Amino acid sequence: MKIIVLIKQVPDTEEERKLDTSTGLLDREAGDRIADEITERALEVALRHKDGNKGSEVVVLTMGPLPAKEALRKALSMGADSAVHVVDERLEGADMALTAAVLAAAAKRTGFDLIIAGNESTDGRGGVVPAMVAEHLGLPLLPSLNSVEITEVSVRGEAALDIGSLTVSAELPALMSVTEWAAEARFPNFKGIISAKRKHVETLSLADIDLDSAATTTTPVLTTSQRPARTAGKKIVDDGTAAQELAEFLADRNLL
Amino acid sequence: MTNVLALIETSSTGVIANTAPALIAAAAKLGTPVAVVATQPGAGDSLVEQLGMLGAQQVYIAESTQVGSLLVGPQLGALISATQALEPSAVVVANSIESRAAAGMFAARTRSGLLADVVDVKTDDGGAIIGVHSVFGGAYTVEATVSSAIAVITLRQGALDERAVEATPSVTTVSLDVESRTSAKIERVHAAGPDSGRPGLRGAVTVVSGGRGLGSKENFVLVEQLADALGGAVGASRAAVDAGYIEQGSQVGQTGITVSPQLYVALGISGAIQHRAGMQTAKTIVAINKDEDAPIFDVADFGIVGDVFTVVPQLIAAIGTRSN
Ligand SMILES: Cc1cc2nc3c(=O)[nH]c(=O)nc-3n(C[C@H](O)[C@H](O)[C@H](O)COP(=O)(O)OP(=O)(O)OC[C@H]3O[C@@H](n4cnc5c(N)ncnc54)[C@H](O)[C@@H]3O)c2cc1C
């Protein structure tokens, strides 16, 4: 089975993330960029299948500027077999619709039985890219799975919706997105890091995936403004009366 | 005014979800609100009156026997069918797992721009549709528009308080052919746990959250007791969820639920940046933590350096005395 995992590089959430208020784009200088944790968990789901099914192949796919290659290298060192990187100047500031069109075209070119994505990225939080990719490729979508079962012909899992949860399934080919409860990602080991250097990263431009004409964003940003940061208020050390004081504070603000 | 579609969510038993009022209100801000709902044949009529009370001027019922057994496909089909009939300028859906999947597929199918997880919508002087986003835990406000003919919008749950004016809707009923090949099958529905009688976390006015500092599932009851004393919802940090103190659906934060209540109380939570990203737009924040250097105090309007097991029972007692 050939599994494509969608990998995304995002600003490290351990640091404050910044937008450039003049362009509306991410301020890439503001902090480190790392592979989004949720996409590493998606990779883990694929690697577990590969661990138990030797003939399987795992390809990691990303769209992003040159440094996004680092996220692919990490995925290769965790155990992915090869990587595909779509990089093109015209993709700067790409919105979700364009991103999904690009990922779908690259996936089609690569070939697959199953595509696995994270349910939503820590930066965008839109959670719609997996659905858009599925639609472009005419695939059934299994969204936000907390648990996953993959067989040679089908996929099944539990999707926690807002009211209760559902067991859902589909025949392959299909696209699933996973939540952070689906799998805990493994760490690259020394052997993985060494062998990753020899693995192939294919670099594609928009022309390579025949998307030259479609490369426009349909959701232009109009304004970006920064909210004033919160400031610390009153802080007291409990000496036995703190609860009473807090109750008064809440009552004064009509919060009781 | 152009039509604006609002995709109405229903539960497995056919009850209108609590996301409907805000969706119809958002649609009404952009044009003539049309409630679109996918139902089993014959099950839509009973919803019309309620949707009218919420402000729908038209109810578009797409009937299919596949509703409830195919995921997303019926809702997508309903939107496509309504779009062909009504030529809307926008489609508004809840930013829930199921609806945003339908929105994503709809946008890809119709080559429309999509504004995800907006907290408000409006139009500019020329009538262009604008979505207002709250980004990076509320640190930024970003406004974006859509250059395609139809704007697809997913609305953050609980973000929009406005309500549309009541209407007497016209009703259109169509029968829907759902492509089963491209939809996942729903094999089983697992109902949510017993109703605690507490408000849901999304959109709650008061949220009391507990973290790893509670130490055990048994101790976590303290969080629930304070939530009940304040009439609020129960939330948790990821560490508390990972430790099994409470179920996943209660996780507040960057990879959990984003809440924006009037009052947020953090008990035994350090206030890691990923947790703050999901709660720092709360109007008033209260934190109780043993560690005086915990980062949660940087955003708290009222912080107590103390033990939750001492302070919280006293607080519950003090609240009880006041309400008597
Ligand atoms: C990609 C990513 C996404 C994440 N997403 C989320 C998310 O959505 N939500 C989230 O919450 N976290 C998230 N995290 C995890 C986050 O970084 C923190 O690990 C987590 O929030 C810590 O939870 P905590 O505050 O309960 O635990 P801790 O950091 O362990 O803090 C426990 C606190 O309890 C205090 N305490 C202990 N005993 C007592 C007592 N008796 N009385 C009073 N105080 C006491 C301690 O002083 C301490 O400050 C994410 C992390 C990553 C990397």
Side-chain angles (χ1 to χ4, degrees), chain A residues 47-95:
Chain A
L47 293 175
R48 283 186 193 174
H49 180 77
K50 184 174 135 89
D51 290 344
N53 297 271
K54 287 302 170 212
S56 297
E57 181 187 353
V58 176
V59 184
V60 284
L61 164 63
T62 198
M63 180 200 102
L66 279 174
K69 205 167 177 173
E70 292 305 315
L72 293 177
R73 282 280 166 221
K74 170 132 190 244
L76 292 173
S77 65
M78 286 165 72
D81 296 295
S82 64
V84 178
H85 184 189
V86 186
V87 48
D88 199 302
E89 276 174 9
R90 284 172 296 166
L91 289 170
E92 193 187 17
D95 65 358

Side-chain angles (χ1 to χ4, degrees), chain A residues 13-14 36-38 122 180, chain B residues 210-215 236-240 251-257 267-276 288-291 294-295 306-309:
Chain A
T13 59
E14 291 301 328
D36 201 349
E37 187 198 69
I38 194 65
T122 44
E180 60 189 44
Chain B
R212 181 149 42 202
L214 271 297
S237 71
R238 175 153 124 182
Q251 180 175 319
V252 171
Q254 185 182 279
T255 52
I257 291 173
L267 304 176
I269 292 178
S270 60
I273 197 162
Q274 298 91 354
H275 186 78
R276 288 187 325 225
I288 305 175
N289 195 305
K290 278 205 298 210
D291 173 9
D307 191 325
V308 288
F309 300 112

Side-chain angles (χ1 to χ4, degrees), chain A residues 13-14 37 120 125 135-136 156 160 165 167 169 180 218 220 222-223 225 227 230 233-236 238, chain B residues 97 100 109 111 139 141 143 145 147 185 187-188 190 238 254-256 273-274 280 282 292 300 303 305:
Chain A
T13 59
E14 291 301 328
E37 187 198 69
E120 63 183 51
R125 298 217 51 182
E135 173 65 24
H136 281 298
R156 167 178 291 107
S165 66
T167 302
S169 67
E180 60 189 44
T218 44
L222 301 172
T223 62
S225 51
R227 287 227 202 119
R230 271 195 106 93
K234 185 169 187 163
K235 183 161 131 191
I236 57 171
D238 181 35
Chain B
I97 290 165
R100 74 188 183 186
R109 176 95 52 107
R111 306 278 180 239
T141 300
E143 295 190 351
T145 188
S147 57
K185 288 179 205 55
E187 292 188 351
R188 270 184 62 193
H190 313 266
R238 175 153 124 182
Q254 185 182 279
T255 52
I273 197 162
Q274 298 91 354
Q280 64 192 4
E292 62 172 331
V305 180

Side-chain angles (χ1 to χ4, degrees), chain A:
Chain A
M1 179 179 318
K2 187 168 177 181
I3 304 175
I4 292 182
V5 180
L6 303 181
I7 298 288
K8 186 176 186 192
Q9 200 185 43
V10 295
D12 192 345
T13 59
E14 291 301 328
E15 298 157 65
E16 195 185 332
R17 298 165 297 169
K18 292 207 170 86
L19 291 178
D20 182 330
T21 47
S22 58
T23 61
L25 295 177
L26 188 69
D27 180 351
R28 292 189 191 277
E29 308 302 311
D32 288 343
R33 290 176 65 76
I34 56 165
D36 201 349
E37 187 198 69
I38 194 65
T39 62
E40 290 187 354
R41 290 173 186 257
L43 174 60
E44 179 65 30
V45 169
L47 293 175
R48 283 186 193 174
H49 180 77
K50 184 174 135 89
D51 290 344
N53 297 271
K54 287 302 170 212
S56 297
E57 181 187 353
V58 176
V59 184
V60 284
L61 164 63
T62 198
M63 180 200 102
L66 279 174
K69 205 167 177 173
E70 292 305 315
L72 293 177
R73 282 280 166 221
K74 170 132 190 244
L76 292 173
S77 65
M78 286 165 72
D81 296 295
S82 64
V84 178
H85 184 189
V86 186
V87 48
D88 199 302
E89 276 174 9
R90 284 172 296 166
L91 289 170
E92 193 187 17
D95 65 358
M96 289 171 291
L98 177 54
T99 303
V102 167
L103 292 173
K108 199 171 198 169
R109 188 178 185 279
T110 304
F112 59 87
D113 299 294
L114 172 64
I115 301 180
I116 310 182
N119 62 336
E120 63 183 51
S121 60
T122 44
D123 56 350
R125 298 217 51 182
V128 291
V129 167
M132 289 175 148
V133 174
E135 173 65 24
H136 281 298
L137 296 169
L139 302 175
L141 167 76
L142 292 82
S144 295
L145 300 185
N146 284 341
S147 64
V148 173
E149 244 176 80
I150 304 171
T151 74
E152 282 305 305
V153 292
S154 68
V155 283
R156 167 178 291 107
E158 191 169 323
L161 305 188
D162 290 317
I163 322 163
S165 66
L166 304 174
T167 302
V168 292
S169 67
E171 278 162 30
L172 297 179
L175 188 151
M176 60 162 77
S177 74
V178 299
T179 70
E180 60 189 44
W181 291 284
E184 191 84 45
R186 66 191 64 185
F187 288 102
N189 58 24
F190 182 68
K191 191 167 148 253
I193 293 164
I194 297 299
S195 66
K197 297 203 165 76
R198 291 193 302 270
K199 289 178 180 169
H200 184 55
V201 179
E202 185 179 27
T203 307
L204 302 174
S205 69
L206 281 173
D208 294 324
I209 54 171
D210 290 328
L211 265 188
D212 262 336
S213 57
T216 48
T217 282
T218 44
T219 52
V221 168
L222 301 172
T223 62
T224 301
S225 51
Q226 194 165 7
R227 287 227 202 119
R230 271 195 106 93
T231 47
K234 185 169 187 163
K235 183 161 131 191
I236 57 171
V237 178
D238 181 35
D239 61 357
T241 61
Q244 194 59 43
E245 209 176 313
L246 173 54
E248 276 157 32
F249 169 86
L250 294 174
D252 285 348
R253 293 203 172 194
N254 289 325
L255 290 167
L256 284 190

